[in-house]
Amino acid sequence: MSVQQQLQAQQQENRDIVDSLLNDGSDADAEYTIEHHFSSSDFDRLEKAAVDAFKLGFEVNDAEEVELDDGSVLFCFDAIAYHALDVALLDKACEQLLQLASKHKVDYDGWGTYFMGDDEDIEEDEDLDDEDESSWRH
């Protein structure tokens, strides 16, 4: 799939995620932590992608090593931004990051964030166990 085709698919997914969060009652005016996911079996390529993501203004977390079911190893990191659920901002970031992934021959695995409800909802949800909390992530 070309970068342009990936971008078109990602832009539709951006709209679907934002619509889903807002329809579920997530706060439209909140600042969200947006985590863009990258992975590769080649650590050096992933590291170069992380440096470029940082240069684009994203906060970059340390790479993690994940062993897959077949025994192979995958490295991954998140490029993090903080902003409103603005589709135009998400589309722009995804375009930059898909181009970056293509340049370094790593995988861009989309983005995620967390539901942002009012303070009353958050207090009620603090009693949820980790498995239940993870279901709030989109």
Side-chain angles (χ1 to χ4, degrees):
M1 185 183 302
S2 73
V3 172
Q4 189 58 36
Q5 290 170 319
Q6 289 175 324
L7 180 59
Q8 288 174 342
Q10 185 61 54
Q11 288 174 334
Q12 183 57 52
E13 187 173 332
N14 292 350
R15 282 149 188 74
D16 293 345
I17 292 170
V18 169
D19 288 346
S20 176
L21 283 164
L22 296 178
N23 288 338
D24 286 346
S26 198
D27 184 353
D29 298 322
E31 179 177 84
Y32 287 79
T33 301
I34 310 292
E35 300 170 344
H36 296 271
H37 313 295
F38 290 86
S39 64
S40 177
S41 58
D42 185 318
F43 182 80
D44 291 333
R45 287 182 183 176
L46 193 73
E47 186 175 43
K48 289 175 183 172
V51 169
D52 278 356
F54 180 78
K55 288 178 181 178
L56 287 173
F58 292 89
E59 179 181 308
V60 176
N61 66 0
D62 292 335
E64 294 182 24
E65 183 177 322
V66 178
E67 185 174 340
L68 303 178
D69 291 339
D70 65 3
S72 62
V73 174
L74 194 65
F75 301 98
C76 52
F77 78 89
D78 290 335
I80 303 165
Y82 304 93
H83 56 76
L85 285 179
D86 181 319
V87 173
L89 285 174
L90 291 163
D91 286 350
K92 180 181 177 187
C94 289
E95 181 175 8
Q96 291 175 314
L97 295 172
L98 279 164
Q99 289 173 352
L100 182 151
S102 177
K103 172 184 172 184
H104 293 289
K105 298 181 178 143
V106 300
D107 293 318
Y108 174 72
D109 301 319
W111 61 274
T113 192
Y114 296 89
F115 180 89
M116 299 288 286
D118 60 29
D119 290 340
E120 185 176 303
D121 289 341
I122 292 170
E123 289 172 13
E124 290 174 12
D125 293 336
E126 285 177 353
D127 295 331
L128 295 174
D129 63 32
D130 289 344
E131 186 175 317
D132 289 340
E133 264 184 75
S134 67
S135 69
W136 284 86
R137 186 162 186 201
H138 288 268

